[in-house]
């Protein structure tokens, strides 16, 4: 069966900044291939700066690869015309780590969640705000929170608003890029419970980019390790990856604090 969303042999170069490095190229992705099946939760791990977010942006269609392709339901997204591309963008949503930076502080939560509804369904602002209320309830907030502004939410609550915004256009895939990394442990656990609930209820596919192997272990059906600009290993669990992932994964495991009560240890 064709994957829902896949990157095939993707390469990406960036120009390095700085006066002495003009023209020097940074070869970030060197032929990365990653598939996300329907309803699957795939974890993407790897050391900082290895290119996880870059691959995420390319899968979202926010950035074009220099080589290789992204396929959505078997079709190359670069071959999609305007209407088809808009449909693709509706189907693949994202939740970023920096929640403060990804919302306009002058818009209410209802307007923030309503924005993709207006863009994709062409409804009025008022109707979009009304439709945001049940979405707020689904993410554990109150319908009346639609009238509140971002500074009046805590970090965890604002992350829920961002999750509601991602859910609003009824996507088929959500990319979470370090989406819980900036939250404290207790809030993180609650947001992860919510993510799991959404998964169970909606059968969505997830790409969960995280440097925290425990987060990925708790949530994902498969885990992919990025190393050297490619997907170096892919396994059904972090425990298996710990055995096959070589030096990079060993270092990532070493940097984890010891497993707490009720947590699985990978070593
Ligand atoms: N727009 C850009 N211009 C220039 N270089 C960039 C750009 N975006 C990313 N890079 C560089 O590409 C490399 C990969 O970055 P990326 O953000 O994808 O890594 P990452 O695996 O997500 O890291 P982290 O775990 O820290 O989030 C880094 O060296 C980064 O500095
Ligand atoms: Mg990143």
């Amino acid at each position: 069966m064709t994957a829902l969303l896949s990157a095939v042999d993707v390469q990406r170069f960036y120009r390095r900044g700085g006066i002495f490095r003009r023209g020097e190229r940074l070869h970030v992705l060197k032929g990365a291939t990653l598939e996300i099946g329907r309803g699957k939760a795939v974890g993407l791990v790897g050391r900082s700066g290895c290119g996880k977010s870059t691959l995420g942006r390319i899968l979202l269609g926010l950035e074009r690869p220099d080589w290789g392709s992204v396929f959505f339901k078997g079709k190359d997204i670069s071959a999609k015309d305007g209407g088809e591309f808009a449909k693709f963008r509706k189907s693949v949503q994202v939740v970023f780590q920096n929640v403060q930076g990804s919302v306009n502080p002058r818009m209410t939560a209802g307007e923030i969640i309503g924005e993709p509804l207006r863009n994709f369904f062409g409804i009025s602002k008022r109707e979009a705000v009304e439709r945001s209320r049940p979405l707020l309830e689904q993410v554990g907030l109150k319908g009346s929170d639609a009238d509140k502004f971002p500074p009046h939410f805590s970090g965890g609550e604002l992350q829920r608003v961002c999750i509601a915004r991602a859910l609003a256009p009824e996507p088929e895939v959500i990319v979470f890029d370090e989406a819980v990394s900036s939250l404290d442990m207790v809030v993180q656990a609650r947001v992860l419970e919510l993510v799991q609930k959404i998964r169970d209820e909606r059968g969505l596919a997830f790409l969960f980019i995280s440097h925290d192997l425990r987060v990925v272990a708790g949530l994902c059906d498969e885990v992919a390790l990025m190393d050297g600009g490619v997907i170096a290993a892919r396994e059904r669990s972090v425990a298996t990856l710990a055995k096959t992932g070589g030096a990079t994964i060993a270092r990532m495991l070493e940097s984890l604090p010891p497993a707490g009560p009720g947590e699985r240890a990978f070593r």
Side-chain angles (χ1 to χ4, degrees):
M1 210 172 80
T2 46
L4 183 60
L5 180 65
S6 59
V8 178
D9 203 17
V10 160
Q11 297 202 34
R12 185 75 176 114
F13 299 91
Y14 287 121
R15 211 159 284 286
R16 248 192 242 257
I19 203 158
F20 301 111
R21 286 170 162 173
R22 211 178 308 163
E24 207 181 308
R25 289 198 311 176
L26 187 65
H27 197 176
V28 176
L29 299 179
K30 301 180 179 174
T33 294
L34 182 67
E35 283 186 0
I36 304 161
R38 281 168 208 273
K40 293 283 180 207
V42 177
L44 177 59
V45 301
R47 65 181 173 73
S48 180
C50 73
K52 303 181 296 294
S53 296
T54 302
L55 184 59
R57 288 193 300 274
I58 288 173
L59 281 163
L60 284 155
L62 298 174
E63 201 170 305
R64 280 190 165 221
D66 294 301
W67 180 263
S69 307
V70 172
F71 294 91
F72 183 65
K73 295 182 175 171
K75 191 161 177 195
D76 191 330
I77 63 166
S78 66
K80 288 183 186 289
D81 63 27
E84 278 184 319
F85 193 73
K87 223 163 153 185
F88 160 73
R89 289 296 300 273
K90 170 186 166 298
S91 304
V92 184
Q93 293 293 311
V94 62
V95 180
F96 289 113
Q97 170 176 10
N98 176 9
V99 282
Q100 312 288 349
S102 64
V103 296
N104 182 339
R106 283 182 289 275
M107 281 164 76
T108 63
E111 288 165 356
I112 290 166
I113 298 164
E115 205 172 31
L117 290 169
R118 294 175 67 197
N119 290 343
F120 294 119
F121 302 114
I123 57 173
S124 71
K125 188 167 168 177
R126 198 164 153 188
E127 192 182 344
V129 169
E130 285 318 306
R131 282 214 218 164
S132 77
R133 296 185 197 276
L135 283 162
L136 280 163
E137 282 166 13
Q138 274 178 42
V139 297
L141 296 172
K142 293 197 293 284
S144 57
D145 287 336
D147 307 316
K148 277 169 58 176
F149 287 90
H152 300 126
F153 289 101
S154 70
E157 287 168 346
L158 206 49
Q159 191 58 289
R160 287 170 191 262
V161 171
C162 290
I163 293 172
R165 174 175 61 184
L167 289 172
E170 299 185 353
E172 292 177 73
V173 192
I174 302 184
V175 175
F176 290 86
D177 191 351
E178 302 282 5
V180 294
S181 306
S182 59
L183 306 173
D184 71 51
M185 290 294 272
V186 176
V187 180
Q188 197 180 83
R190 293 220 186 98
V191 173
L192 289 173
E193 268 170 35
L194 168 67
V195 172
Q196 187 65 53
K197 184 185 111 189
I198 292 166
R199 243 204 104 192
D200 295 344
E201 285 173 4
R202 298 194 177 218
L204 283 173
F206 285 162
L207 178 64
F208 217 90
I209 302 174
S210 179
H211 64 270
D212 191 333
L213 289 166
R214 287 172 304 183
V215 167
V216 167
L219 211 67
C220 298
D221 304 309
E222 295 165 52
V223 56
L225 171 70
M226 180 173 279
D227 197 15
V230 298
I231 299 299
R234 186 172 178 157
E235 297 290 350
R236 294 246 169 239
S237 70
V238 172
T240 325
L241 191 64
K243 297 194 188 92
T244 60
T248 305
I249 200 92
R251 271 199 300 276
M252 289 181 74
L253 289 164
E254 270 165 25
S255 66
L256 281 177
E263 280 182 51
R264 291 215 316 261
F266 306 118
R267 283 171 275 180

